[in-house]
Amino acid sequence: MHGKIALEEAFALPRFQKKTQWWASLFATDPAKHAKEITDLTDTRIKYMDQHGVGYTLLSYTAPGVQDVWDPKEAQALAVEVNDYLASSIKAHADRFGGMATLSMHDPREAAAELRRCIEQLGFKGVLVNDTQRTGADGDDMIFYDGPEWDIFWSTVTELDVPFYLHPRNPTGSIYEKLWAQRKWLVGPPLSFAQGVSLHLLGLVTNGVFDRHPRLQVIIGHLGEHLPIDLWRINHWFEDVKKPLGLKATCEKTIYEYFAQNIWITTSGNFSTSVLRFCLGEVGADRILFSIDYPFESFGDACEWYDTVQLNETDKKKIGKENAKRLFKLGGY
Ligand code: GRE
């Protein structure tokens, strides 16, 4: 399929080459190749895109990124540097690339202001945040964005009318020590990423963020971070037990309604035909978006799978490109 749009696609700053290699050595079988690919924003990518029928890519800063920086000033400076670097790197290729804003999530007002700058001045199409923001004197604490103090931020996201991508990051500090240190092979895609994002997303749902901001659009990757398989059970417990106990005060609609009105899932890093089919039934073709997760996954694996997966033509176009065009308002593309 030609003209596919991909939107969970990572880059890193060249000045972090060493850090990038170290990070890649944790999971990439060829860390040097990975580090090279992730620091190349356009040239290698365009070759892969042309080879595999990807017309347009939305680029975002790699995990854990700014969410790993617990000093608020340092985090804000890095976010601004990343956004300016991304804008200047893709400027000459506006027909092939769009930007997702990177934000320091220490302060809701500061995050909202940088998002506004990215959308209104740099022309970015959305925002991607890597789960919770590390905070505290030694970075061992974390900030969730589901409390009322974040309403100012979510109001800005909906006013600017851009989607918010909730991407995973690795567990750190005492959480890492308690849960994952003795189970280190489960960190990342096998388990910890999905646990982190599904907790945070259901926090947004149950703490009333979507009730207070009904137009908010949040995207999660990897075919829904394990949530679609559990929707029936979540719904059953919310509606039959938790709401009578008080959940109704902050969560008026059903989990199915939030998935139909506020939540999107992408195929990033999850190229399973049976899971996609399951998600078509549970989430629906109007809320699924093609993505790769490059360079953590390959163009070949993602695109050869998607190009040959048996779907009706309407759904294939929706998921491959039409939904993303609509959501990100890529009219001219
Ligand atoms: C990511 O998307 O950020 C990621 C990692 C590490 C492994 C896989 C992956 O940071 O998708």
Side-chain angles (χ1 to χ4, degrees):
M1 177 179 178
H2 289 292
K4 291 187 289 297
I5 298 174
L7 50 122
E8 191 195 311
E9 317 306 328
F11 72 95
L13 289 179
R15 78 178 171 87
F16 287 138
Q17 188 77 16
K18 261 206 190 125
K19 201 173 170 186
T20 304
Q21 281 230 25
W22 172 81
W23 176 245
S25 71
L26 297 178
F27 51 82
T29 47
D30 188 347
K33 176 169 177 265
H34 176 93
K36 211 164 157 224
E37 288 185 339
I38 203 164
T39 47
D40 172 277
L41 274 71
T42 51
D43 298 1
T44 311
R45 271 177 227 258
I46 290 174
K47 277 189 207 133
Y48 281 134
M49 286 162 72
D50 289 346
Q51 214 177 330
H52 294 282
V54 175
Y56 191 83
T57 291
L58 283 152
L59 288 173
S60 49
Y61 198 64
T62 190
V66 178
Q67 273 59 68
D68 202 33
V69 182
W70 57 88
D71 177 78
K73 282 210 173 77
E74 206 186 306
Q76 174 67 5
L78 179 58
V80 171
E81 178 187 358
V82 164
N83 290 325
D84 289 344
Y85 177 72
L86 175 58
S88 68
S89 303
I90 61 177
K91 203 171 177 177
H93 305 280
D95 56 332
R96 306 301 301 275
F97 296 100
M100 297 286 275
T102 291
L103 301 177
S104 159
M105 296 297 274
H106 285 280
D107 176 77
R109 280 173 205 278
E110 189 179 53
E114 178 61 6
L115 177 61
R116 185 179 294 283
R117 184 182 81 92
C118 288
I119 304 303
E120 291 182 348
Q121 292 174 33
L122 304 182
F124 289 176
K125 309 290 185 195
V127 45
L128 182 143
V129 167
N130 296 307
D131 205 350
T132 53
Q133 174 70 55
R134 288 186 83 174
T135 189
D138 54 2
D140 196 30
D141 220 334
M142 61 185 83
I143 299 171
F144 283 79
Y145 321 126
D146 56 4
E149 69 279 13
W150 282 89
D151 279 346
I152 179 105
F153 174 75
W154 297 119
S155 295
T156 304
V157 176
T158 51
E159 182 211 319
L160 294 168
D161 198 17
V162 290
F164 178 97
Y165 203 124
L166 188 61
H167 185 277
R169 77 166 169 88
N170 52 316
T172 46
S174 52
I175 295 278
Y176 175 80
E177 291 305 326
K178 283 182 192 149
L179 298 185
W180 304 99
Q182 303 307 314
R183 288 152 213 100
K184 66 174 186 170
W185 298 110
L186 301 179
V187 169
L191 188 61
S192 78
F193 280 179
Q195 279 205 351
V197 173
S198 54
L199 171 67
H200 207 158
L201 183 78
L202 291 179
L204 297 177
V205 169
T206 52
N207 284 340
V209 173
F210 295 110
D211 286 7
R212 296 194 297 281
H213 307 276
R215 288 190 303 117
L216 177 61
Q217 301 300 315
V218 174
I219 310 169
I220 55 174
H222 315 113
L223 283 175
E225 310 289 15
H226 301 181
L227 285 172
I229 193 81
D230 241 26
L231 284 185
W232 186 92
R233 184 163 161 81
I234 294 167
N235 184 67
H236 166 52
W237 273 82
F238 279 6
E239 299 307 312
D240 299 338
V241 182
K242 307 273 182 179
K243 285 194 180 176
L245 289 174
L247 171 64
K248 184 109 186 126
T250 52
C251 182
E252 285 176 10
K253 299 176 193 166
T254 68
I255 190 70
Y256 287 110
E257 287 172 305
Y258 296 112
F259 264 80
Q261 295 167 20
N262 302 102
I263 298 165
W264 302 72
I265 66 174
T266 76
T267 67
S268 64
N270 197 341
F271 315 132
S272 160
T273 302
S274 55
V275 178
L276 177 63
R277 285 201 191 294
F278 178 81
C279 290
L280 281 168
E282 205 65 2
V283 177
D286 289 336
R287 289 260 157 193
I288 306 177
L289 304 151
F290 173 74
S291 279
I292 301 168
D293 211 351
Y294 173 84
F296 301 97
E297 305 288 348
S298 74
F299 272 77
D301 284 354
C303 297
E304 282 160 29
W305 166 70
Y306 193 71
D307 289 348
T308 53
V309 74
Q310 300 266 312
L311 289 179
N312 70 57
E313 271 312 296
T314 310
D315 287 354
K316 198 151 196 173
K317 279 196 190 130
K318 279 184 184 173
I319 296 168
K321 56 185 168 187
E322 297 301 335
N323 289 344
K325 269 194 209 174
R326 185 162 52 90
L327 178 61
F328 289 94
K329 299 190 279 296
L330 305 174
Y333 164 71

